[in-house]
Amino acid sequence: MERRLKPSLREDKRYLLIEGESKEEIEKSILEFLGVLGYAKASPKWITQGQQMILAVNREEVDHVRAAFALAKKQISVKRVSGTLKGLGKK
C-alpha cells in the first residue's frame, strides 16, 4: 500500500505560464543556466492544459528559473506566475 506525504512535507510549487519556442528549448535554457544540481532543485514539471505551456517549479527556485529565461538565446517569456493553476486563468 502506497502512502501519501503529509502536506507539510510536500514541496511548494509555483506555476509559470510560459510563452516560448518549445519545451525542449525551455528545459535546455534552464539546464544551461542552473546546471544539473540547480535543475534538480527547481524540479520542473510540465502541466498540460489545452494549448498553454505551464511549468511547475519549486517555490524557492522561481527567480533562478526566470533568470535562466532572461539569459536564454531564444525568446522565452513568463506571462504569469501563480501559486495555483486556477490563479493562472484569472485576468
Side-chain angles (χ1 to χ4, degrees):
M1 181 180 200
E2 192 173 320
R3 302 197 74 165
R4 291 186 174 204
L5 287 175
K6 292 181 181 180
S8 61
L9 296 175
R10 292 185 197 142
E11 282 185 344
D12 287 332
K13 295 285 190 180
R14 292 294 178 264
Y15 302 97
L16 284 68
L17 182 60
I18 300 174
E19 185 176 276
E21 296 289 320
S22 65
K23 292 181 180 182
E24 291 80 23
E25 287 293 328
I26 292 169
E27 289 176 347
K28 182 180 167 189
S29 66
I30 295 171
L31 194 59
E32 282 179 6
F33 182 75
L34 298 179
V36 176
L37 184 61
Y39 188 87
K41 285 182 183 178
S43 63
K45 292 181 179 45
W46 290 102
I47 297 173
T48 55
Q49 277 191 340
Q51 297 294 338
Q52 296 178 331
M53 291 200 312
I54 299 173
L55 186 66
V57 296
N58 192 359
R59 180 181 57 86
E60 288 93 16
E61 302 297 319
V62 170
D63 292 335
H64 296 140
V65 171
R66 291 184 81 155
F69 294 156
L71 296 174
K73 294 175 182 148
K74 301 282 184 172
Q75 181 65 27
I76 302 170
S77 63
V78 178
K79 288 183 179 179
R80 295 188 62 126
V81 177
S82 178
T84 63
L85 288 172
K86 187 177 181 181
L88 283 178
K90 293 182 179 177
K91 283 190 180 180

